[in-house]
Coordinates of all heavy atoms in Angstrom, one line a residue:
A1 N -53.7 56.3 -8.4 CA -54.3 57.3 -7.7 C -55.1 56.6 -6.5 O -55.2 57.1 -5.4 CB -55.3 58.0 -8.5
Q2 N -55.6 55.3 -6.7 CA -56.3 54.6 -5.7 C -55.4 54.2 -4.6 O -55.6 54.1 -3.4 CB -57.1 53.4 -6.2 CG -57.9 53.7 -7.5 CD -58.7 55.0 -7.4 OE1 -59.5 55.2 -6.5 NE2 -58.5 55.9 -8.4
V3 N -54.2 53.8 -4.9 CA -53.1 53.3 -4.1 C -52.8 54.5 -3.1 O -52.7 54.5 -1.9 CB -51.8 52.9 -4.7 CG1 -50.7 52.8 -3.7 CG2 -52.1 51.5 -5.5
G4 N -52.7 55.8 -3.8 CA -52.4 57.0 -3.1 C -53.4 57.3 -2.0 O -53.2 57.7 -0.8
K5 N -54.8 57.1 -2.4 CA -55.8 57.4 -1.3 C -55.8 56.5 -0.1 O -55.9 56.9 1.0 CB -57.2 57.2 -2.1 CG -57.4 58.4 -3.1 CD -58.7 58.1 -3.9 CE -58.9 59.0 -5.1 NZ -60.0 58.7 -5.8
V6 N -55.6 55.2 -0.4 CA -55.4 54.3 0.8 C -54.2 54.5 1.6 O -54.3 54.4 2.9 CB -55.6 52.8 0.2 CG1 -55.3 51.8 1.4 CG2 -56.8 52.5 -0.5
M7 N -53.1 54.8 1.0 CA -51.9 55.0 1.8 C -52.2 56.3 2.7 O -51.6 56.5 3.7 CB -50.7 55.3 0.9 CG -50.2 54.1 0.1 SD -49.6 52.8 1.1 CE -48.3 53.5 2.0
Q8 N -52.9 57.4 2.1 CA -53.1 58.5 2.9 C -54.1 58.2 4.0 O -53.9 58.8 5.1 CB -53.8 59.6 1.9 CG -54.1 60.9 2.7 CD -52.9 61.6 3.1 OE1 -51.8 61.6 2.5 NE2 -53.1 62.4 4.3
A9 N -54.9 57.3 3.8 CA -55.9 56.9 4.9 C -55.0 56.2 6.0 O -55.4 56.4 7.1 CB -56.9 56.0 4.4
L10 N -54.1 55.4 5.7 CA -53.2 54.8 6.7 C -52.5 55.9 7.5 O -52.5 55.8 8.7 CB -52.1 54.0 6.0 CG -52.4 52.5 5.6 CD1 -51.2 51.8 5.0 CD2 -53.2 51.7 6.8
E11 N -52.0 56.9 6.9 CA -51.4 58.0 7.5 C -52.3 58.7 8.5 O -52.0 59.1 9.6 CB -50.7 58.9 6.4 CG -49.6 58.4 5.7 CD -48.3 58.5 6.4 OE1 -48.2 58.8 7.5 OE2 -47.3 57.9 5.7
E12 N -53.4 59.1 8.0 CA -54.4 59.8 8.7 C -54.9 59.1 10.0 O -55.2 59.6 11.0 CB -55.5 60.3 7.9 CG -55.2 61.3 6.8 CD -56.3 61.6 5.8 OE1 -57.4 61.0 5.9 OE2 -56.1 62.5 4.9
A13 N -55.0 57.7 9.8 CA -55.4 56.8 10.9 C -54.3 56.7 12.0 O -54.6 56.1 13.0 CB -55.9 55.5 10.3
G14 N -53.1 57.1 11.6 CA -51.9 56.9 12.6 C -51.4 55.5 12.7 O -50.8 55.3 13.7
V15 N -51.7 54.7 11.7 CA -51.2 53.2 11.6 C -50.1 53.0 10.7 O -49.6 51.9 10.6 CB -52.4 52.2 11.6 CG1 -53.3 52.5 12.8 CG2 -53.1 52.5 10.3
R16 N -49.7 54.0 9.8 CA -48.8 53.7 8.8 C -47.5 53.2 9.3 O -46.8 52.3 8.7 CB -48.5 55.0 8.1 CG -47.3 55.0 6.9 CD -47.9 54.0 5.9 NE -46.7 53.9 4.8 CZ -45.9 52.9 4.8 NH1 -45.9 52.0 5.8 NH2 -44.9 52.9 3.8
D17 N -47.0 53.6 10.5 CA -45.7 53.3 11.0 C -45.7 51.8 11.5 O -44.6 51.2 11.7 CB -45.2 54.2 12.2 CG -44.9 55.6 11.6 OD1 -44.6 55.7 10.4 OD2 -44.8 56.5 12.5
N18 N -46.9 51.3 11.7 CA -46.9 49.9 12.2 C -47.6 49.0 11.2 O -48.2 48.0 11.5 CB -47.7 49.8 13.6 CG -47.5 48.5 14.1 OD1 -46.4 47.8 14.2 ND2 -48.6 47.8 14.7
T19 N -47.4 49.3 9.8 CA -48.1 48.6 8.8 C -47.0 48.1 7.7 O -46.3 48.9 7.2 CB -49.2 49.4 8.1 OG1 -50.2 49.8 9.0 CG2 -49.9 48.6 7.0
I20 N -47.0 46.8 7.5 CA -46.3 46.3 6.4 C -47.1 46.5 5.1 O -48.3 46.1 5.0 CB -46.0 44.8 6.6 CG1 -45.1 44.6 7.7 CG2 -45.3 44.3 5.3 CD1 -45.0 43.2 8.2
V21 N -46.6 47.2 4.1 CA -47.3 47.4 2.9 C -46.6 46.7 1.6 O -45.4 46.8 1.6 CB -47.3 48.9 2.4 CG1 -48.1 49.1 1.2 CG2 -48.0 49.7 3.6
I22 N -47.2 45.8 1.1 CA -46.7 45.1 -0.1 C -47.6 45.3 -1.3 O -48.9 45.1 -1.2 CB -46.4 43.6 0.2 CG1 -45.7 43.0 -0.9 CG2 -47.7 42.8 0.6 CD1 -45.1 41.6 -0.5
L23 N -47.0 45.7 -2.3 CA -47.8 46.0 -3.6 C -47.1 45.1 -4.6 O -46.0 45.0 -4.9 CB -47.6 47.4 -3.9 CG -48.4 47.9 -5.3 CD1 -48.9 49.3 -5.2 CD2 -47.4 47.8 -6.5
W24 N -48.0 44.4 -5.5 CA -47.6 43.5 -6.4 C -48.6 43.4 -7.6 O -49.8 43.7 -7.5 CB -47.4 42.0 -5.9 CG -48.6 41.6 -5.1 CD1 -48.9 41.8 -3.8 CD2 -49.8 40.9 -5.5 NE1 -50.1 41.3 -3.4 CE2 -50.6 40.6 -4.4 CE3 -49.9 40.2 -6.7 CZ2 -51.8 39.9 -4.6 CZ3 -51.2 39.4 -6.9 CH2 -52.1 39.4 -5.8
G25 N -48.0 43.0 -8.8 CA -48.8 42.8 -10.0 C -48.9 41.2 -10.1 O -48.0 40.5 -9.8
D26 N -50.1 40.7 -10.5 CA -50.3 39.2 -10.7 C -49.6 38.8 -11.9 O -49.2 37.4 -11.8 CB -51.7 38.8 -10.7 CG -52.5 39.4 -11.7 OD1 -52.1 40.3 -12.5 OD2 -53.8 39.0 -12.0
H27 N -49.3 39.4 -12.9 CA -48.4 39.0 -14.0 C -48.2 40.1 -14.9 O -48.7 41.2 -14.7 CB -49.1 37.8 -14.8 CG -50.6 38.1 -15.0 ND1 -51.0 39.2 -15.9 CD2 -51.7 37.6 -14.5 CE1 -52.3 39.1 -15.9 NE2 -52.8 38.2 -15.1
G28 N -47.3 40.0 -15.9 CA -47.0 41.0 -16.9 C -48.1 41.1 -17.9 O -49.1 40.5 -17.9
W29 N -47.8 41.9 -19.0 CA -48.7 42.1 -20.1 C -48.0 42.6 -21.4 O -47.2 43.6 -21.3 CB -49.8 43.2 -19.7 CG -51.2 42.8 -20.1 CD1 -52.0 42.0 -19.5 CD2 -51.8 43.3 -21.3 NE1 -53.2 42.0 -20.2 CE2 -53.2 42.7 -21.2 CE3 -51.6 44.2 -22.3 CZ2 -54.1 43.0 -22.3 CZ3 -52.4 44.4 -23.2 CH2 -53.8 43.8 -23.2
H30 N -48.2 41.9 -22.5 CA -47.5 42.4 -23.7 C -48.3 43.5 -24.3 O -49.6 43.4 -24.5 CB -47.6 41.2 -24.8 CG -46.8 40.1 -24.6 ND1 -45.6 39.8 -25.3 CD2 -46.9 39.1 -23.6 CE1 -45.1 38.7 -24.8 NE2 -45.8 38.2 -23.9
L31 N -47.7 44.7 -24.6 CA -48.2 45.7 -25.3 C -47.7 45.8 -26.7 O -47.1 46.9 -27.1 CB -48.1 46.9 -24.5 CG -48.7 47.3 -23.1 CD1 -48.1 48.4 -22.4 CD2 -50.3 47.4 -23.3
G32 N -47.9 44.8 -27.4 CA -47.3 44.8 -28.8 C -46.0 44.0 -28.9 O -45.6 43.7 -30.0
E33 N -45.3 43.8 -27.8 CA -44.2 43.0 -27.8 C -44.4 41.7 -28.4 O -45.3 41.0 -28.1 CB -43.5 43.0 -26.5 CG -43.0 44.3 -25.9 CD -44.1 45.1 -25.1 OE1 -45.3 44.5 -25.1 OE2 -43.8 46.2 -24.6
M34 N -43.5 41.2 -29.3 CA -43.6 40.1 -30.0 C -44.9 39.9 -30.8 O -45.3 38.8 -31.2 CB -43.4 38.8 -29.0 CG -42.3 38.7 -28.3 SD -42.1 37.2 -27.1 CE -40.5 37.5 -26.4
G35 N -45.5 41.0 -31.0 CA -46.7 41.0 -31.8 C -47.9 40.7 -31.1 O -49.0 40.4 -31.7
V36 N -47.9 40.7 -29.7 CA -48.9 40.2 -28.8 C -49.5 41.3 -28.0 O -48.8 42.1 -27.5 CB -48.4 39.0 -27.9 CG1 -49.4 38.6 -26.9 CG2 -48.0 37.7 -28.8
W37 N -50.8 41.2 -27.9 CA -51.5 42.1 -26.9 C -52.1 41.2 -25.8 O -53.2 40.6 -26.2 CB -52.5 43.0 -27.7 CG -51.8 44.0 -28.5 CD1 -51.4 43.9 -29.8 CD2 -51.6 45.4 -28.1 NE1 -50.9 45.0 -30.2 CE2 -50.8 46.0 -29.2 CE3 -51.7 46.1 -27.1 CZ2 -50.5 47.3 -29.2 CZ3 -51.3 47.5 -27.0 CH2 -50.6 48.0 -28.1
G38 N -51.6 41.2 -24.7 CA -52.2 40.4 -23.6 C -51.1 39.8 -22.7 O -50.0 39.9 -22.9
K39 N -51.6 38.9 -21.9 CA -50.8 38.1 -21.0 C -50.6 36.7 -21.6 O -50.5 36.6 -22.8 CB -51.4 38.1 -19.7 CG -52.8 37.7 -19.6 CD -53.5 38.2 -18.3 CE -55.1 37.9 -18.3 NZ -55.8 39.2 -18.4
A40 N -50.5 35.7 -20.8 CA -50.6 34.3 -21.2 C -49.5 33.8 -22.0 O -49.8 33.1 -23.0 CB -51.9 34.0 -21.8
T41 N -48.3 34.1 -21.8 CA -47.0 33.5 -22.4 C -46.0 33.2 -21.2 O -46.3 33.5 -20.1 CB -46.4 34.5 -23.4 OG1 -45.6 35.5 -22.8 CG2 -47.4 35.2 -24.3
N42 N -45.0 32.5 -21.7 CA -43.9 32.2 -20.8 C -42.7 33.1 -20.8 O -41.6 32.9 -20.3 CB -43.4 30.7 -21.1 CG -44.5 29.7 -20.5 OD1 -44.7 29.6 -19.3 ND2 -44.9 28.8 -21.5
Y43 N -42.9 34.2 -21.6 CA -41.7 35.2 -21.8 C -41.6 36.2 -20.7 O -42.6 36.3 -19.9 CB -41.9 35.7 -23.2 CG -41.9 34.6 -24.3 CD1 -43.0 34.4 -25.1 CD2 -40.7 33.9 -24.6 CE1 -43.0 33.4 -26.0 CE2 -40.7 33.0 -25.5 CZ -41.9 32.7 -26.2 OH -41.9 31.7 -27.3
E44 N -40.5 36.9 -20.7 CA -40.2 37.9 -19.7 C -41.2 38.8 -19.6 O -41.6 39.3 -18.5 CB -38.8 38.6 -20.1 CG -38.3 39.6 -19.1 CD -37.5 38.9 -18.0 OE1 -37.4 37.7 -17.9 OE2 -37.1 39.7 -17.2
I45 N -41.8 39.4 -20.7 CA -42.8 40.4 -20.6 C -44.0 40.1 -20.0 O -44.7 40.9 -19.3 CB -43.0 41.0 -22.1 CG1 -43.5 42.5 -22.0 CG2 -43.9 40.2 -22.8 CD1 -42.4 43.5 -21.7
A46 N -44.4 38.8 -19.9 CA -45.6 38.3 -19.3 C -45.4 37.7 -17.9 O -46.3 37.8 -17.1 CB -46.3 37.2 -20.2
T47 N -44.1 37.4 -17.5 CA -43.9 36.8 -16.2 C -43.3 37.7 -15.3 O -43.3 37.5 -14.0 CB -43.1 35.5 -16.4 OG1 -41.8 35.9 -16.9 CG2 -43.8 34.4 -17.2
R48 N -42.7 38.7 -15.6 CA -42.0 39.6 -14.7 C -42.9 40.7 -14.2 O -43.8 41.2 -15.1 CB -40.8 40.4 -15.4 CG -40.2 41.4 -14.5 CD -38.9 42.0 -15.3 NE -38.3 43.1 -14.5 CZ -38.3 44.4 -14.8 NH1 -39.0 44.7 -16.0 NH2 -37.8 45.3 -14.1

């Protein structure tokens, strides 16, 4: 929802068409996979 508000502000300001937008996550997170809750591993679920 916060992403949506900022994107809408870009549109309303008339600068969306001249703005590069890049969105990223800093790392993944285990939600019980491999019995782990959290980040901090070398596996796919934490690094992708």
Side-chain angles (χ1 to χ4, degrees):
Q2 311 319 305
V3 171
K5 292 174 186 177
V6 174
M7 292 298 297
Q8 182 63 32
L10 277 185
E11 295 280 359
E12 293 175 355
V15 295
R16 174 68 180 90
D17 290 343
N18 192 42
T19 300
I20 298 169
V21 181
I22 186 162
L23 180 147
W24 50 276
D26 59 349
H27 45 70
W29 221 83
H30 292 251
L31 287 168
E33 292 87 359
M34 300 183 177
V36 169
W37 290 84
K39 47 202 175 248
T41 77
N42 284 301
Y43 298 111
E44 182 84 358
I45 201 73
T47 57
R48 179 171 171 251

